[in-house]
Amino acid sequence: MFHPTVARLTYRALLGRRRALILFVLPALLVVLSVAVRVLAGADDSTAGGILGTFALGTMVPLIGVIAGTGAIGPEIDDGSVVYLLSKPVSRSTIIFTKLGVAIGVTVAFSALPVLLAGFLLNGNSQQMAVGYAVAAAVASVAYSALFLLFGTITRHAVVFGLVYALVWEALVGTLVPGAKTLSVQQWALAVGQKAAAEGAITSDVQMPLAIGLLVAVTAAATWYAARRLKALTLAGEE
């Protein structure tokens, strides 16, 4: 279910000069902000939780997921080069799984690791907050990558739809509206992250069993449907 050539091409597309620059900006901003807050305000668990929960997990992680998830396949569909890939004797499922694996790897590297570093800079990992939020970022990266990869297969405006989802639903609605929190990847990830942190350091509006079930269901469903859409795209091209 993993094809090295497809993975290499996907990495090259994601880490090209322009995309790599965008991917580096947000983590760099988080680290700079963390250093500034630590210098000016000192170590404070409440401030650390606010920055890691609101900016890092609520905004940075989904935005990086948008860039990596949609960028793993969207540009190839837009410029038509996906036809060359589909002409090779590689199953559509293998293509999707490979691209998803690359997207997850890139998203985790540019989100979970900077979150971990930021947590140590902010409060020295007091109450295991750095580890907890890093775990939440890694878990969220998987679901976001699958979801935004799906967007890349169903619409040419995947980035726009991804940004609307990330900035409106996750960062605004999923944070402020009580009922919508149950359908927020951020809240599902926080439910997992709180188990890695000290009791009470991280909170979520979704219970752990439900959160894991929803994370698995969304990731699996998005991956399956993305593979199905890619197969339909092949048939349309052949016709």
Side-chain angles (χ1 to χ4, degrees):
M1 302 302 290
F2 184 85
H3 197 282
T5 301
V6 174
R8 185 175 66 254
L9 294 174
T10 306
Y11 272 118
R12 186 180 300 173
L14 286 179
L15 300 179
R17 183 176 301 177
R18 187 170 61 180
R19 285 187 180 274
L21 178 62
I22 298 175
L23 285 170
F24 274 108
V25 167
L26 289 171
L29 180 59
L30 174 62
V31 172
V32 170
L33 177 63
S34 300
V35 171
V37 169
R38 180 63 181 266
V39 171
L40 297 175
D44 180 76
D45 291 350
S46 178
T47 301
I51 293 175
L52 295 176
T54 303
F55 175 70
L57 195 62
T59 302
M60 185 191 79
V61 178
L63 285 179
I64 291 176
V66 170
I67 297 170
T70 61
I73 196 168
E76 292 176 289
I77 294 178
D78 291 343
D79 63 20
S81 60
V82 71
V83 176
Y84 172 79
L85 178 62
L86 296 177
S87 66
K88 301 301 179 181
V90 182
S91 74
R92 309 307 170 239
S93 296
T94 297
I95 293 174
I96 290 297
F97 273 107
T98 301
K99 288 183 173 293
L100 176 60
V102 172
I104 290 173
V106 170
T107 307
V108 169
F110 284 89
S111 60
L113 295 181
V115 167
L116 181 64
L117 174 60
F120 275 96
L121 291 172
L122 286 165
N123 69 351
N125 194 34
S126 174
Q127 299 190 71
Q128 294 291 307
M129 292 180 68
V131 174
Y133 277 107
V135 169
V139 170
S141 296
V142 177
Y144 285 136
S145 296
L147 189 60
F148 297 132
L149 180 67
L150 171 63
F151 285 4
T153 64
I154 63 178
T155 176
R156 290 181 177 273
H157 306 289
V159 174
V160 175
F161 280 94
L163 289 175
V164 170
Y165 178 88
L167 297 177
V168 177
W169 184 264
E170 290 288 350
L172 185 61
V173 178
T175 302
L176 301 177
V177 181
K181 292 181 178 181
T182 306
L183 300 177
S184 168
V185 173
Q186 178 187 351
Q187 292 299 320
W188 306 342
L190 284 172
V192 179
Q194 70 180 352
K195 296 299 181 181
E199 185 175 355
I202 299 176
T203 59
S204 172
D205 289 275
V206 183
Q207 295 298 314
M208 178 76 159
L210 177 60
I212 293 178
L214 290 171
L215 283 166
V216 172
V218 167
T219 302
T223 304
W224 170 79
Y225 194 64
R228 183 175 179 179
R229 287 289 302 179
L230 194 62
K231 182 178 181 180
L233 178 65
T234 306
L235 293 175
E238 291 173 351
E239 291 173 357

